[in-house]
Amino acid sequence: MENITALLDSIFGIETEDLTTLHVLSRAFVIYIIGIILVRLSNKRFVDKLTAFDIIIAIITGSLLSRANTNTNLFLKVLPACLLLILMHRLLSYIASFSDKFGNLVKGHERVLVEDGEILWKAMERSHLSEQDLIQTLRLNTHSENIKKIKVARLERNGDISFIFKNSSD
């Protein structure tokens, strides 16, 4: 056991007060690999369009991993904490997939911004969006500026605005 501890200390500086460049580089390599594993364990949404729920886990995990790289006492303590956070994130996501109420609580909910070509100003105000924000997103996503052609527009949980056009028969 002493041999393993001595080897870990020489490579990662586990029990040393002063980290060398080699210690920091070897820690960075291991933390990079562990970071990839943690992202793969979480889910694909973790690196796609993020909700506040996903952003929080990314910030906390990144912060913890950076501390493990530079703090001599935290290297082995932080890695299980990151794993616990990722597993909690997966569990809460799993529960949210079965419960809309719980999903709305942890991930937020969509908000209707336009209905039958009419802008819902109270929803826009609650969403902190201007008419110009809405029209810009309409142009970028649909190549149209005509709000009157929109059956419904929603501010989605991830912050995107989705548009559904009226049928030609509407």
Side-chain angles (χ1 to χ4, degrees):
M1 187 68 170
E2 287 181 34
N3 290 339
I4 293 173
T5 304
L7 178 64
L8 289 175
D9 188 45
S10 68
I11 296 172
F12 300 110
I14 301 297
E15 295 183 357
T16 187
E17 291 295 318
D18 297 319
L19 295 176
T20 67
T21 302
L22 180 61
H23 292 148
V24 174
L25 291 174
S26 59
R27 285 175 175 217
F29 175 78
V30 169
I31 289 168
Y32 177 74
I33 299 301
I34 289 171
I36 290 172
I37 292 167
L38 290 173
V39 168
R40 297 288 298 143
L41 281 175
S42 62
N43 59 29
K44 291 186 189 288
R45 286 191 45 240
F46 188 68
V47 293
D48 194 12
K49 288 285 189 173
L50 301 176
T51 63
F53 175 67
D54 299 315
I55 289 170
I56 293 299
I57 192 70
I59 290 170
I60 292 171
T61 303
S63 175
L64 285 171
L65 289 175
S66 72
R67 288 179 186 196
N69 194 37
T70 58
N71 189 315
T72 57
N73 299 326
L74 293 180
F75 184 64
L76 294 178
K77 296 173 186 172
V78 163
L79 303 179
C82 289
L83 180 60
L84 174 68
L85 287 172
I86 296 298
L87 293 176
M88 283 177 39
H89 184 262
R90 284 195 59 118
L91 176 64
L92 294 177
S93 295
Y94 180 76
I95 294 169
S97 71
F98 290 103
S99 168
D100 288 337
K101 283 185 180 181
F102 186 75
N104 289 339
L105 178 69
V106 297
K107 296 180 180 185
H109 56 88
E110 81 279 351
R111 180 174 288 144
V112 176
L113 302 173
V114 176
E115 200 164 45
D116 293 322
E118 297 297 322
I119 296 175
L120 305 177
W121 293 108
K122 287 190 185 234
M124 293 283 289
E125 187 177 311
R126 282 193 311 268
S127 302
H128 304 285
L129 291 170
S130 70
E131 183 176 6
Q132 289 304 313
D133 295 332
L134 182 68
I135 291 176
Q136 174 187 352
T137 306
L138 179 63
R139 276 193 313 265
L140 290 171
N141 292 339
T142 68
H143 307 289
S144 171
E145 291 184 325
N146 191 346
I147 295 282
K148 298 292 182 197
K149 291 183 179 182
I150 303 299
K151 180 177 181 178
V152 67
R154 286 187 177 86
L155 177 63
E156 302 294 350
R157 291 195 222 199
N158 67 359
D160 284 345
I161 299 175
S162 63
F163 299 94
I164 299 174
F165 284 96
K166 295 178 181 179
N167 293 331
S168 58
S169 61
D170 288 347

